[in-house]
Amino acid sequence: MPEAGGSVEAMPRTHLATAATPTPLLMIGADPALTQEVHRLAAAAGVLPTVHASAGSALSEWSAAALVLVGADAAAEAAELMPARRDGVVVVALGAAPDRLFRDALRLGATGVVELPGEENGLVELLLDAGDQPTRGHTIGVVGGCGGVGSTTLACALGQVAGRTGRSLVLDVDPLGPGADRVLGVEDRPGVRWDALCQAAGRLSARALRDAVPGRDGVAALSWAVGAETPVPPSVVREALSAARRGHDTVIVDLPRSAEGLLGDGVAPFR
């Protein structure tokens, strides 16, 4: 890590973009203080950033990196180059971001602007996902025409088959079903259920979700706590699905037969 006030060029060459293999984290910018702060947070997340002082030299790795951090000093240059639109681009600033930085972030197609210090936790979650080499897993939805046709059983069977060759997760969003954790035989194992996720706020880390849900033999389930009556907002389902796809090779979604079955309106799960 460079000393405060040092330059990017003075950093060890292992930190620069000279390797041919893709990097999980690409950092664009020449601000030494910002680069040092990114290195500090990246170290906490267990990833080593590849740093380019200018956006032009970083274009060859733009699409391959799992996460791209664009410093406030390089955002305008990067936006002018109009690189290919992609997920996982974040603009980072030290202190309050000026209005122009949000315009540059919009032109880049960035998912947001992070202001440091103050928003380290959200950035560390992104860095953890980058170091975990997100899989962007396949998603399969299963829905039954009526109750009792075996859609949950099918979803769990698909999850078990997928679990033989990679990590799989059954996302149980049908509160009136038998419960994916029961069908998989992991209902007695400790882990996160929907009621816990409803109490959380902010971005859900792929690694955090994967480590928290109960499972065995390569397949896990995010299901309902026994007797839970809390409706699951669509925003929570979207965040869980996004984290599941980033952290698993295959995600099987056991869908509800109606929107009311998911969102609640006072409807309690069958259990």
Side-chain angles (χ1 to χ4, degrees), residues 63-187:
S63 299
L67 176 66
V68 178
L69 300 183
V70 181
D73 61 307
E77 177 198 1
E80 287 295 328
L81 293 175
M82 295 187 293
R85 290 297 177 108
R86 50 153 294 166
D87 295 332
V89 177
V90 177
V91 176
V92 186
L94 281 179
D99 291 343
R100 63 165 180 79
L101 193 59
F102 291 92
R103 292 193 293 269
D104 292 335
L106 184 63
R107 293 167 63 197
L108 275 171
T111 57
V113 176
V114 174
E115 299 174 336
L116 301 175
E119 298 180 355
E120 294 95 337
N121 290 342
L123 182 55
V124 168
E125 288 183 355
L126 291 171
L127 293 169
L128 284 169
D129 281 350
D132 205 25
Q133 297 180 345
T135 58
R136 303 292 179 190
H138 299 290
T139 304
I140 302 172
V142 179
V143 61
C146 62
V149 298
S151 57
T152 299
T153 302
L154 176 59
C156 292
L158 291 172
Q160 288 178 316
V161 171
R164 297 173 184 171
T165 56
R167 292 187 291 249
S168 73
L169 174 69
V170 179
L171 204 67
D172 181 2
V173 291
D174 184 4
L176 301 180
D181 56 347
R182 280 187 171 184
V183 176
L184 290 170
V186 295
E187 72 273 18

Side-chain angles (χ1 to χ4, degrees), residues 5-29:
S7 67
V8 174
E9 283 69 26
M11 294 168 56
R13 296 297 296 177
T14 54
H15 291 267
L16 297 176
T18 57
T21 55
T23 176
L25 173 59
L26 175 63
M27 169 70 187
I28 303 174

Side-chain angles (χ1 to χ4, degrees), residues 203-223:
R203 186 177 185 275
L204 180 59
S205 163
R207 181 183 296 181
L209 178 66
R210 190 176 66 241
D211 292 345
V213 290
R216 67 178 183 185
D217 300 330
V219 58
L222 175 57
S223 192

